[in-house]
Amino acid sequence: MLKIENLHATVEDTEILKGVDLEVNAGEVHAIMGPNGSGKSTLASVLAGREDYEVTDGKVTFEGEDLLEMDVAERACAGLFLGFQYPVEIPGVSNLYMLRAALNARRAARGEDEIDAMEFMERVNEKIAFVDMSPEMAKRGVNEGFSGGEKKRNEVFQMLMLEPKLAILDETDSGLDIDALKTVAKGINALRSPERATILVTHYKRLLEHVVPDKVHVLAGGRIVRSGGPELADELEAEGYAGIARDNREQATAS
Ligand code: ADP
Ligand code: MG
């Protein structure tokens, strides 16, 4: 589904991604862990097509198409979803208005009619109940006055409404209490299917106890330096990133 080869990207002329290679198949959940400032959010942003990030080398294909050639809207219509580490507030634009516009834009791209109002509201009610959000919150401005945890819950609500093929969730678990964490995990698990894939960017093993990933990768210094199964997260929890950073430095010196 997603193939990243030798991806290099810069932010304000500083190279952050220094040759990322990663392959995610349909049906898989991958976790990307790594120290602060290692480029995890940069990778997520580059995949979603956010401005300010310049790709200087490498290739990304999404379902066989050149992802980097697509603009943000085309990526969204193709089924990509980014859950932000720091969700933005958009006062004056209601959550539901935005979701309806997003769903309709995608339908239009597929040559389909606009979603029926009743069908839309049924879907909204089903999903807000699933994430345990109040109907009033769903109608408010996007994230307007939401607490940190409510914003993350809202990201999951949006994801469930849009049913992306590939969801990239950037620290959607950070700052959550245990109930909200379980809700977020439930939402991610609900979308697990042979046709979809998820990339979870996370610092903590906590989420991975509720959403068991197929693969875990460590991004450090702008590269994937280790990959393994779920047990790699246990190792990281026990030993931190210091050991991996050291192995990586030794490798770099040796090569
Ligand atoms: P992570 O998500 O792994 O903590 P980031 O991808 O957010 O790391 O950041 C990687 C590096 O890129 C950091 O040193 C950060 O300061 C820098 N960086 C990220 N975004 C910007 C930006 N918009 N302008 C300048 N520097 C940035
Ligand atoms: Mg980050």
Side-chain angles (χ1 to χ4, degrees):
M1 176 176 279
L2 182 75
K3 190 168 184 189
I4 304 173
E5 292 166 278
N6 190 34
L7 184 64
H8 289 251
T10 59
V11 182
E12 301 193 342
D13 297 330
T14 306
E15 185 169 61
I16 308 293
L17 300 183
K18 300 174 181 171
V20 173
D21 292 295
L22 179 68
E23 223 171 306
V24 178
N25 297 313
E28 293 178 345
V29 173
H30 288 229
I32 297 183
M33 305 180 80
N36 286 319
S38 60
K40 303 182 298 296
S41 292
T42 302
L43 176 61
S45 300
V46 167
L47 294 177
R50 288 183 74 181
E51 291 168 15
D52 310 332
Y53 298 85
E54 196 193 341
V55 173
T56 49
D57 202 0
K59 205 172 138 190
V60 182
T61 48
F62 177 58
E63 297 202 302
E65 305 269 334
D66 183 347
L67 187 78
L68 301 175
E69 283 292 306
M70 298 156 82
D71 67 26
V72 178
E74 286 168 338
R75 293 180 202 202
C77 287
L80 205 75
F81 176 89
L82 174 64
F84 293 100
Q85 179 170 6
Y86 304 107
V88 286
E89 298 194 18
I90 317 177
V93 176
S94 88
N95 243 337
L96 294 191
Y97 178 88
M98 183 186 76
L99 282 172
R100 199 163 157 172
L103 278 171
N104 281 335
R106 206 173 58 188
R107 290 170 79 106
R110 293 179 188 154
E112 295 168 9
D113 287 342
E114 293 204 341
I115 188 166
D116 172 75
M118 288 272 287
E119 190 189 324
F120 176 72
M121 280 319 294
E122 268 168 30
R123 185 139 152 197
V124 165
N125 291 331
E126 182 197 325
K127 305 303 181 194
I128 54 176
F130 192 86
V131 298
D132 209 4
M133 224 167 96
S134 73
E136 182 269 329
M137 265 174 75
K139 286 180 197 147
R140 254 197 263 166
V142 178
N143 293 321
E144 196 176 352
F146 287 20
S147 72
E150 285 168 347
K151 285 180 184 170
K152 298 299 172 87
R153 216 181 262 261
N154 197 27
E155 295 286 293
V156 174
F157 167 57
Q158 291 170 11
M159 176 180 80
L160 291 172
M161 285 296 294
L162 296 170
E163 298 183 325
K165 275 189 198 153
L166 176 64
I168 304 165
L169 301 177
D170 192 0
E171 311 237 358
T172 303
D173 54 330
S174 62
L176 298 182
D177 61 34
I178 190 71
D179 292 331
L181 181 78
K182 283 186 180 160
T183 301
V184 164
K186 190 172 79 160
I188 298 166
N189 284 325
L191 281 189
R192 269 187 123 144
S193 87
E195 300 86 54
R196 300 180 204 286
T198 306
I199 298 176
L200 301 173
V201 173
T202 182
H203 266 294
Y204 304 104
K205 219 195 86 186
R206 228 165 56 124
L207 177 69
L208 306 182
E209 281 165 5
H210 300 279
V211 184
V212 179
D214 297 288
K215 298 213 171 99
V216 175
H217 310 276
V218 180
L219 185 67
R223 275 195 200 96
I224 305 269
V225 297
R226 281 277 298 274
S227 295
E231 72 289 344
L232 180 53
D234 298 322
E235 189 188 322
L236 293 169
E237 183 98 337
E239 297 173 18
Y241 295 113
I244 281 169
R246 190 186 52 234
D247 293 350
N248 195 37
R249 267 200 306 279
E250 280 165 8
Q251 256 179 27
T253 320
S255 60

